[in-house]
Amino acid sequence: MLLFWHRRDLRLPDNAGLAAALATGEPVLPVFIFDRDILDHLPPDDARVTYIHDAVTALRVAYEAHAGTLLVRYGRPLDVFADLLTEFPALTGVYTNEDYEPYAAIRDGALAALLAETGRRFQAFKDQVVFAKDEVLSKSGTVHRAFGMYRDTWLARLTPADLAERPSAALAAEPGRLHGAAAPPIPALDAMGFRRRELHPVPDGLPEEGIIKNYHQTRDVPGHARSTTRVSVHLRFGTLSPRELMRQAQGINPTYLHELIWRDYFMLLLWQFPQTVDESFAPSLRLLPWRNDETEFHAWCEGRTGYPFVDAGMRELNATGFMQNRARMATASFLVKHLLIDWRWGERYFAEKLLDYDLSQNIGNWQWVAGTGVVNAPWFRVFSPQSQLEKFDPELTYVRRWLPEYGTAHYPAPIVEHKAARERALATYKATSVAARA
């Protein structure tokens, strides 16, 4: 018997690791673990735990439709698997899908060692990206430092087999493929120290083709009701297959496909440079003298900077757990450049609030904006909040939606003046860069 461990792949169809497990011919018992090594660091009202709990519940129903089940445990993974080895002595191994975050690499290495001690195997498969680790590199074998070069190499390497559907759903439907173990109830949220959150609606299934067709025209317009697909939550938790989304994108809109390729790129960068989780990649900017004014930081968090495009983005984030992409760039740039607050402060705040929070994407984007990353916007690029507003929300549709007090005496004055803040940022970055080279 094999265990298949679900992590960032909370679906039955088009699941690479699950398909591989089922194809062995051994009965497969799927398992999901509410990981205390992660959950113990989250607040009790974290919306992501509600989302995961609902997705796991739906996944168990899907397995039960095929005369199987999903075993759901709460605890620390190594402790849980030690118990499972005793509970299921006929267990021959654990299959799962790869996870590229630093914590996951340590966790999976420890589990592989635990299984090896008793002659059991651990195998992980590529599923949440199309190309991983060192599969897309430059001709000299180094990491591409520009997305355009990475994208072109990625596309040149792509074959139909890379995006082909993995037959996990078809195999699970065959009698005898799934282990019929009795499973206790799924641990309740309150039993794990959490309470249910009302979630802002997340679209079900594949995006509408009309949204994808117009994506290149609407993706930077936050006031447009159908500006983006909002599949980022599905990608984060694997409730949709990235291959399925890319298959859909291929024949409709190359811009949308390219945005999905960014996800592969940032996961590659995190795998290759795990230190970037908490350290600026650019050595010349590691000693930036951040101001880190806590009063200004809280004003930014609460959407009270006096810059409506920035404030609307932060209000949307706080209310829904989502922020439109153009607003993410504007708010991040304002924090780092206008306020000279460490990008790590902003990254941590997004980590607390985003329903679609993904470490690799968040680290990659924050360091891009800060000008400190493996791939980055030039440090001398400073977004003008007013220009962003005029270009991407000229009718104030987005601003009016999230700032009902805008235009009244209740809306605050700007906490910094744009020109002075821009000049301060440029001088600080330049001096730090010059000092590092001296």
Side-chain angles (χ1 to χ4, degrees), residues 301-327:
C301 292
E302 296 167 7
R304 296 185 292 102
T305 69
Y307 285 92
F309 197 69
V310 172
D311 291 342
M314 297 306 295
R315 301 278 186 93
E316 180 185 23
L317 172 64
N318 292 331
T320 70
F322 179 84
M323 193 195 305
Q324 201 271 353
N325 185 59
R326 173 55 57 175

Side-chain angles (χ1 to χ4, degrees), residues 379-391:
W379 57 259
F380 48 81
R381 176 185 292 173
V382 181
F383 287 113
S384 163
Q386 184 60 30
S387 296
Q388 294 286 297
L389 175 67
E390 293 169 358
K391 185 174 182 179

Side-chain angles (χ1 to χ4, degrees), residues 203-223:
D204 291 328
L206 290 174
E208 297 177 27
E209 288 194 5
I211 296 177
I212 298 177
K213 286 179 181 178
N214 298 319
Y215 182 80
H216 59 294
Q217 298 172 324
T218 61
R219 70 190 182 106
D220 284 321
V221 185

Side-chain angles (χ1 to χ4, degrees), residues 274-287:
Q275 73 276 14
T276 57
V277 167
D278 52 23
E279 179 180 75
S280 294
F281 178 81
S284 62
L285 296 176
R286 287 177 188 162
L287 297 179

Side-chain angles (χ1 to χ4, degrees), residues 32 38 52 96 109 220 233 266 275 430:
F32 177 83
I38 297 173
I52 293 169
T96 192
D220 284 321
V233 176
F266 278 144
Q275 73 276 14
K430 182 176 180 179

